[in-house]
Amino acid sequence: MRRLWRIKWFLIAASGLATVAPDVRADAPAWMHTAASAPLPAYDAKTDAVLLYSEDVTTVMPDGKIKSTERRAYKILRPDGRDYAAAWGYTSPDSKIGSMRGWCIPAQGKDYEVKDKDAQEKSLSVFNGELASDLKVRFLRIPAGEPGNVVGYEIQYDGRPFVLEDVWNFQSEVPVKEARYTLQMPPGWEYKVSWLNHAKVEPTASGTNQWQWVLTDLPAIRPERYMPPFKGVSGRMTVAFLAPGEHVRSGFLTWSDMGKWEGDLTSGKREVNPLIAQKVAEITAGKTTLPEKMRSITEFMQKDIRYVAIELGIGGYQPHSAMEIFTHRYGDCKDKATLLSTMLKQIGVDSYYVVINDRHGAVRGDSAPDIGLFNHVILAIQLPDQLQDGSFQAVLPHAHLGRLLIFDPTNEKIPIGKLPGYLQSNHALLVAPNGGGELLQMPQLPTASSGIVRTGKLALDAEGTLKAEITETRKGDLAATERQAQISVASSKDRVKAIEREVSHSIGMFQIASASMTGLEANEAPFEYSYSFVAPAYAKQAGNLLVVRPRVMGVKASDLLEAKDPRKFPVIFEGPEKDTDTFEITLPMGYEVDDLPPAVDLDYSFGSYHSKTETSGNKLKYTRTFEIKELSVPMEKMDDLKKFYRVIASDERNTAVLKPSTAAASAR
């Protein structure tokens, strides 16, 4: 699906490509000078720029065409704010740039101007898997974007959108001094607005069938680690345009409206062809149960249908036909979902499109229907009542459709029955078979469905050298991630580097002695590393004592919440997880345990951590479990999460003390 949210970051990365004529002098418009002269509050040292003035004017025409004007004026406060000295926009089949101009009001001297002829336009077919796209970027560098100067631009658009709706994104990565949205509609037309991450604001009537919304002093949205995506936390107003009569299709009032629109796009795309039916019969031959047949079909989809996107016109939202996809053996996410649905129907299994965002938190339960919130398509597979299979974990109970197995055919490493962590507990639109749709929360798998089980047999000598034999068994997302990384590695020598990186996070000096892996190609099976290493001076000498860290490997502590500035947004985890470590260290001859670290038991709604160090004969045994149970941790639990990580960090540093045994001391 189209990913318009990527455009800005592409443009910033490409900001050095456009050239300008810095010697063009012309007065900036009055609205820029008014914004530049307004007093500003004091901003902190992290504020690179301030958006002085933001204005969006949308004019809806009787035939459903839309003309819009975008105006922005920034004051550059610090050198890193130079990125805002640019005008950028996109063109597509449903939206064209009519004109683009930019200006600079320097702190001293005359104004500068750059015009449309100075802009560069580039295709956006630059992203992984995209073969062709008709999205283009027009980029205009504004001269003299130096601290103290004010830069601004005006872009005019003409278009006929696929859906009669607009989104006012009034918040930014920098503070916004003033933001305006003006709506002009034909007689007889109406509108409906929905607000997210901001209190509702009533408009002011500013003319015949014209309304204006004004906001001031909006805070910046600064990036934080593991925060929700920008769309999930920024203030936005979604506007649906409602045309009288049936001559123009209106915007979405409900999720059912959007589901019907999505359903209409897919009408006729899943018609079966004899060649598809023949292939289904071939790959399911010899399979006696329905789950076996389903696995054969989904494996074919993952292994034989390449991800390739051709997004031209409505093709950014509409899938190709099943036969086209099958013939060419490639397609994007909605194409793969289409062909899979067609093939499953041949074994008597119904399925439905699910439109989702691959970033958790971009769509929420209180979001308004908006196609711009989504960027991915997966499938809900209707399970027969009598089918019971314990490996099918990603099941969503539905009041009318029964049990729905949620599956992502685009992800080549997650088998049917499982679901990538980034899609779990995520809100998505189910395109219902009755021509409607509903926003549902996707299932969350048990914590044990993904994680690392690490066991170690280790031996310590009197000089502190540690010899280790480690086995790591990875499941779920952690297995898929490792498979994806290793399958693209050219040589076995390079494959060891992943193990070396893992060990280096916990041990300073070491030498890998042997390494192997199993389960590289088998998505259904766990992925396993087995390796051995020698770590000299692992235990530290303290007189006649040896100080040893029982937690040999694995880092679960995090400095996520140790920033100076207070946290603003929830913490989003990548998926549920349960890791276990068991390390059994044989003590050097002549030593016994003098002191052990305390056990740790932490239980919160979002996660748990338990560790214990004990002795058994001449062995030191350390065990622990680490669990992520909630994928979103709200602000009211930040203190608990900070404590959680701090206690883990302390436990990971804790040491046991070994002393010469009584028998050894007597012998000396």
Side-chain angles (χ1 to χ4, degrees):
M1 293 185 69
R2 292 206 185 278
R3 292 172 169 82
L4 299 181
W5 50 268
R6 298 174 303 189
I7 292 176
K8 182 173 183 180
W9 309 115
F10 169 82
L11 289 166
I12 289 176
S15 60
L17 296 178
T19 59
V20 297
D23 57 340
V24 175
R25 305 295 179 114
D27 289 341
W31 60 266
M32 268 191 69
H33 277 280
T34 300
S37 62
L40 293 177
Y43 295 108
D44 61 34
K46 293 184 178 180
T47 304
D48 296 324
V50 56
L51 180 50
L52 300 174
Y53 186 74
S54 167
E55 182 180 16
D56 294 272
V57 180
T58 299
T59 302
V60 182
M61 311 302 288
D63 60 357
K65 291 182 179 180
I66 290 180
K67 295 181 178 293
S68 59
T69 301
E70 175 185 321
R71 297 187 182 102
R72 301 289 186 268
Y74 293 90
K75 183 169 185 178
I76 310 300
L77 301 182
R78 290 173 179 80
D80 286 346
R82 294 188 184 101
D83 284 336
Y84 294 95
W88 58 272
Y90 65 89
T91 66
S92 64
D94 62 333
S95 181
K96 304 292 184 183
I97 293 177
S99 66
M100 174 183 283
R101 300 170 69 189
W103 301 270
C104 173
I105 303 175
Q108 294 181 340
K110 295 183 178 180
D111 298 354
Y112 294 103
E113 179 182 27
V114 283
K115 298 183 179 180
D116 205 285
K117 65 181 178 60
D118 300 309
Q120 286 191 355
E121 190 168 273
K122 287 189 171 290
S123 171
L124 276 180
S125 299
V126 295
F127 301 103
N128 290 339
E130 287 188 358
L131 180 64
S133 171
D134 49 19
L135 286 174
K136 294 182 179 180
V137 173
R138 190 176 295 183
F139 182 85
L140 182 63
R141 169 62 72 188
I142 300 171
E146 301 299 326
N149 293 351
V150 173
V151 296
Y153 63 83
E154 178 180 285
I155 305 174
Q156 294 183 349
Y157 289 97
D158 295 287
R160 183 188 294 276
F162 295 127
V163 176
L164 272 176
E165 65 179 18
D166 193 19
V167 177
W168 182 31
N169 294 296
F170 48 78
Q171 226 170 343
S172 175
E173 303 90 347
V174 296
V176 180
K177 182 61 180 170
E178 181 179 350
R180 293 174 177 263
Y181 183 87
T182 302
L183 174 61
Q184 176 71 60
M185 304 186 73
W189 284 59
E190 297 179 346
Y191 69 87
K192 177 188 175 183
V193 299
S194 301
W195 292 78
L196 188 65
N197 299 315
H198 195 281
K200 182 180 179 181
V201 174
E202 295 296 337
T204 300
S206 55
T208 304
N209 231 28
Q210 185 180 89
W211 299 268
Q212 187 175 79
W213 290 260
V214 180
L215 300 174
T216 58
D217 298 316
L218 299 167
I221 295 183
R222 289 177 175 155
E224 295 178 335
R225 293 164 59 195
Y226 294 98
M227 69 179 283
F230 191 86
K231 287 184 178 181
V233 297
S234 61
R236 58 194 279 129
M237 183 180 78
T238 303
V239 191
F241 307 131
L242 311 177
E246 300 293 331
H247 69 288
V248 178
R249 183 166 185 165
S250 297
F252 303 141
L253 291 178
T254 66
W255 287 108
S256 183
D257 292 340
M258 183 173 167
K260 185 178 186 309
W261 182 80
E262 294 279 359
D264 289 346
L265 289 179
T266 64
S267 178
K269 300 297 183 180
R270 289 180 280 184
E271 293 182 359
V272 72
N273 178 280
L275 293 177
I276 296 177
Q278 179 181 341
K279 188 64 179 181
V280 172
E282 174 190 323
I283 61 180
T284 59
K287 309 299 182 184
T288 58
T289 67
L290 189 58
E292 288 178 330
K293 294 179 181 180
M294 293 168 65
R295 289 189 185 96
S296 295
I297 294 172
T298 55
E299 286 175 4
F300 167 79
M301 189 62 50
Q302 291 175 312
K303 294 178 180 179
D304 287 52
I305 307 299
R306 295 177 296 130
Y307 182 88
V308 175
I310 300 177
E311 301 188 339
L312 303 175
I314 194 64
Y317 303 100
Q318 184 178 51
H320 295 85
S321 71
M323 190 57 200
E324 286 182 88
I325 304 159
F326 179 77
T327 300
H328 297 301
R329 291 295 201 272
Y330 63 72
D332 63 9
C333 58
K334 57 189 178 294
D335 293 329
K336 297 186 76 161
T338 296
L339 179 56
L340 177 58
S341 180
T342 305
M343 298 179 79
L344 288 172
K345 185 68 175 178
Q346 297 305 295
I347 59 171
V349 176
D350 290 324
S351 56
Y352 315 104
Y353 294 99
V354 175
V355 188
I356 196 168
N357 194 298
D358 61 9
R359 291 283 309 281
H360 189 279
V363 184
R364 302 186 341 205
D366 55 351
S367 297
D370 172 9
I371 60 173
L373 289 175
F374 301 90
N375 64 9
H376 193 39
V377 175
I378 57 178
L379 212 58
I381 302 170
Q382 189 172 20
L383 297 177
D385 293 338
Q386 70 276 13
L387 191 154
Q388 299 295 328
D389 189 305
S391 68
F392 287 175
Q393 294 182 305
V395 175
L396 177 68
H398 190 274
H400 305 296
L401 300 175
R403 294 178 302 137
L404 299 177
L405 179 64
I406 310 300
F407 176 64
D408 182 1
T410 301
N411 192 314
E412 298 177 356
K413 298 302 176 185
I414 300 292
I416 187 171
K418 306 298 191 291
L419 192 65
Y422 52 82
L423 299 182
Q424 294 180 39
S425 195
N426 206 346
H427 283 87
L429 175 67
L430 173 69
V431 181
N434 60 3
E438 56 184 311
L439 193 68
L440 300 174
Q441 189 169 20
M442 296 295 98
Q444 181 175 318
L445 274 59
T447 58
S449 65
S450 182
I452 302 175
V453 177
R454 185 185 287 113
T455 59
K457 298 292 185 181
L458 310 103
L460 188 68
D461 66 21
E463 283 71 43
T465 297
L466 185 72
K467 294 182 178 180
E469 294 183 357
I470 307 291
T471 299
E472 293 183 10
T473 302
R474 298 173 182 246
K475 298 182 292 182
D477 279 6
L478 295 180
T481 300
E482 209 66 19
R483 282 191 178 99
Q484 193 64 50
Q486 289 287 14
I487 210 160
S488 60
V489 174
S491 68
S492 58
K493 180 185 292 186
D494 290 335
R495 284 179 170 170
V496 177
K497 290 180 180 178
I499 297 173
E500 292 175 337
R501 284 194 298 269
E502 183 70 19
V503 178
S504 68
H505 293 155
S506 302
I507 298 174
M509 295 187 298
F510 65 92
Q511 180 66 47
I512 299 291
S514 64
S516 64
M517 70 177 71
T518 57
L520 181 60
E521 300 287 350
N523 290 349
E524 295 277 355
F527 178 85
E528 187 174 285
Y529 283 127
S530 294
Y531 54 93
S532 62
F533 64 83
V534 177
Y538 178 78
K540 308 304 179 186
Q541 298 279 352
N544 66 341
L545 305 177
L546 278 178
V547 180
V548 59
R549 189 185 68 209
R551 191 273 310 168
V552 178
M553 284 191 55
V555 178
K556 297 303 174 189
S558 172
D559 61 354
L560 173 65
L561 301 178
E562 301 300 333
K564 293 181 180 179
D565 297 329
R567 182 86 183 185
K568 298 291 186 183
F569 302 112
V571 170
I572 302 294
F573 291 116
E574 294 180 357
E577 180 178 347
K578 185 174 184 179
D579 301 328
T580 65
D581 289 326
T582 304
F583 300 122
E584 193 174 78
I585 305 173
T586 301
L587 304 182
M589 186 176 297
Y591 280 84
E592 62 185 21
V593 173
D594 183 51
D595 187 46
L596 292 176
V600 175
D601 288 291
L602 294 174
D603 274 296
Y604 294 101
S605 62
F606 54 80
S608 68
Y609 184 85
H610 304 278
S611 76
K612 180 172 60 174
T613 308
E614 55 192 339
T615 60
S616 177
N618 69 332
K619 289 181 170 56
L620 184 68
K621 185 177 182 181
Y622 175 84
T623 57
R624 71 167 174 176
T625 61
F626 170 87
E627 201 173 12
I628 296 297
K629 298 185 286 187
E630 293 177 353
L631 304 192
S632 179
V633 183
M635 292 303 300
E636 59 266 24
K637 295 183 181 180
M638 286 301 110
D639 287 342
D640 288 340
L641 184 59
K642 181 183 288 187
K643 178 183 176 182
F644 181 69
Y645 279 130
R646 285 180 174 179
V647 172
I648 293 174
S650 176
D651 179 67
E652 291 185 338
R653 291 191 301 265
N654 279 343
T655 57
V657 178
L658 311 181
K659 66 179 181 180
S661 63
T662 304
S666 299
R668 286 197 290 270

